[in-house]
Amino acid sequence: RPARQAGHWKRIHAEAEAIDDDLVVKYVGEINDTTGTGPLWSEVGRQFGLRYAVTQQVIMSLRCAGRLAYTKETRSLRTADEVTSS
């Protein structure tokens, strides 16, 4: 079973790495600009055709890279530029 789980996480990481990070950051910024709030993580996933686990990996990786920020609040997802300019 551990080997199966390892394969699962490898696939998630591989799918996440295939996503264009710039497009995700741009999308989050556009949603914030038009609505005044961040998109839900599920909305990001739908936009890019991702499973939720892959969406989580993409968003958390972009947060670690300093490109996105979020809190526990709903719709708090922002680009790092939006956080530093507010």
Side-chain angles (χ1 to χ4, degrees), residues 15-16 18-31 39-52 54-56 58-59 62 68 77:
E15 287 178 44
I19 300 302
D20 186 331
D21 292 346
D22 292 337
L23 289 178
V24 175
V25 172
K26 181 180 176 187
Y27 173 74
V28 170
E30 288 172 351
I31 296 297
L40 297 173
W41 291 26
S42 59
E43 293 169 336
V44 174
R46 273 194 302 277
Q47 176 68 22
F48 295 97
L50 305 174
R51 295 179 294 141
Y52 192 71
V54 178
T55 303
Q56 287 178 307
V58 168
I59 291 172
L62 287 169
L68 291 179
L77 188 58

Side-chain angles (χ1 to χ4, degrees), residues 49-74:
L50 305 174
R51 295 179 294 141
Y52 192 71
V54 178
T55 303
Q56 287 178 307
Q57 181 64 40
V58 168
I59 291 172
M60 289 188 286
S61 294
L62 287 169
R63 181 184 192 190
C64 288
R67 300 195 62 200
L68 291 179
Y70 56 85
T71 67
K72 292 180 181 180
E73 297 298 316
T74 302

